[in-house]
Amino acid sequence: MSVGYLTHPSFSKHAMPGYNHPESPERIKAVWNALDHAQLTPRLTAIEPVEATREILRAVHTETFIRLLERLEAENRPVLIDQDTYALPRSFQIARLAAGACVRGVEAVVRGDVHTALAAIRPPGHHATPNNAMGFCLLSNVAIAARYATQQLGLERVLILDYDVHHGNGTQDAFYDDPRVLFISTHQSPFYPMTGHLEETGTGAGVGATLNVPLPNNTGDSGYQQVFEQIVWPAARRYQPQLIIVSAGFDAHWADPLAQMRLTLAGYDQLARSVLNMANELCGGRVVFVMEGGYNVTALGSGMRNIAHRLLGDDDFDDPLGDAPPSHEPDLSALVAQIVQLHRLG
Ligand SMILES: [Zn+2]
C-alpha cells in the first residue's frame, strides 16, 4: 500500500520566542523522531507540499481575513492574534504550506497516485474560521482541502471526521450550509471553544450534514468505541462518502496537559483501524489523516507513528504511556440515544 507523506522542515519554524506555548515546534519534531525511530519515513511516499494559493484559500476564507494575515506577514515582530494564537512574520507562509500539504494529500489520494496519505503539519487548522484565526490555528487546513476536493476534484460527498478533543468550529463554519461535506466531530464538552452542541446540525441545504458528539470529561476508549459503532458508522454508511479526511488530534489522550479525556494510544489505534475499515468499505480506501492538536508530545509522536503503521498495513503498535489512571467512565447511553434519534440513525 503506498502511503503519501506530507511534511516540511518549515513546520518547525513557527514558534513564539521567549514563551513556552503548548503549540510548539517540539510537537512536529516528536512526530518526525517517532517516524524516523521506527524506520517508517523511507517507507512512506514523500509528497512535497506547495503553498496553497490565494485562490484556494479564498474558497474557504474571506478576503478581509487573508488581507489581515498578509499585513501580519509584513510586520517585523511576533503578533498575538488572540490570547492563544500567535503569528510571526513567516507564520502565514508556513500556514499556507500546511494547508497546501492537505490539498496535495487529498489530490494525490483522489487521483490514485497513492492509496492513502498522512499529513504531519502545523500550525493546526480546525479552529480557524472563514474570517478569523483562533485556538492556535491560522488557516482552516482540512476545510481548505475538503473544499478543494468538492470544487476542483469534482467530489460530491466528503466525510470529515474530527476526533481532536476540541470542537472543530472552523471546519463546521466552512461547511455549515454545504451538503457536499459531512462534518462529524467528537469533542470534550463543555470545553474550548464552547461550540459543537448536538443541536448544531447545519443550515439550509446543509441541514443534517453537521453531526456533533459533545462528550463528557473522562470519556475513554470504550466510550469512543461506542460512539463510533452507534453514531459514526451508521452516519458514514448512510452518507456514502467518496473520501474521508480525518482531523487527527491527540489531545483526547489521558496524558494531554490541556484536556480531561481518557483515550489511550490503544484506543486511538482502534479509532484509526475503524476509519480505515470505513474507508475500505465505503470509498475504495481513500483516506487522508491530518494532524491537528495533541500537547503531550509522546502521545502525539507515537499516535502518528501508529497511524503510519496502520496505513502501511503493519501490525506494529507503540505505546510508551500505557493505560489511563483508574477513574470512573461516564455512561454515554442517553447521549448516544439522543444523537441517534436527532440524526435518525436508528
Ligand atoms: Zn485540540
Side-chain angles (χ1 to χ4, degrees), residues 71-89:
R71 280 201 301 279
L72 293 178
E73 200 165 27
E75 296 265 352
N76 214 5
R77 61 189 173 86
V79 174
L80 271 178
I81 298 176
D82 66 20
Q83 65 180 47
D84 300 320
T85 314
Y86 61 90
L88 289 90

Side-chain angles (χ1 to χ4, degrees), residues 38-119:
Q39 295 167 335
L40 289 173
T41 315
R43 297 176 55 208
L44 302 168
T45 305
I47 301 174
E48 180 82 9
V50 290
E51 289 175 35
T53 62
R54 208 168 197 288
E55 186 190 355
I56 288 174
L57 301 184
R58 281 287 284 116
V60 167
H61 292 289
T62 62
E63 181 66 26
T64 312
F65 175 60
I66 291 171
R67 286 207 184 126
L68 167 81
L69 291 175
E70 284 167 348
R71 280 201 301 279
L72 293 178
E73 200 165 27
E75 296 265 352
N76 214 5
R77 61 189 173 86
V79 174
L80 271 178
I81 298 176
D82 66 20
Q83 65 180 47
D84 300 320
T85 314
Y86 61 90
L88 289 90
R90 276 193 68 190
S91 294
F92 182 34
Q93 184 208 352
I94 296 167
R96 287 197 302 268
L97 208 47
C102 300
V103 169
R104 286 211 78 185
V106 160
E107 190 169 51
V109 167
V110 171
R111 287 184 178 169
D113 302 339
V114 289
H115 291 102
T116 60
L118 178 65

Side-chain angles (χ1 to χ4, degrees), residues 244-282:
I244 300 175
I245 308 176
V246 182
S247 268
F250 290 88
D251 39 10
H253 190 277
W254 64 264
D256 192 87
L258 300 190
Q260 289 77 38
M261 298 301 236
R262 290 169 49 80
L263 269 176
T264 65
L265 282 166
Y268 266 113
D269 191 44
Q270 282 302 316
L271 301 187
R273 285 174 189 272
S274 194
V275 172
L276 268 179
N277 290 339
M278 202 178 286
N280 285 330
E281 179 184 314
L282 300 177

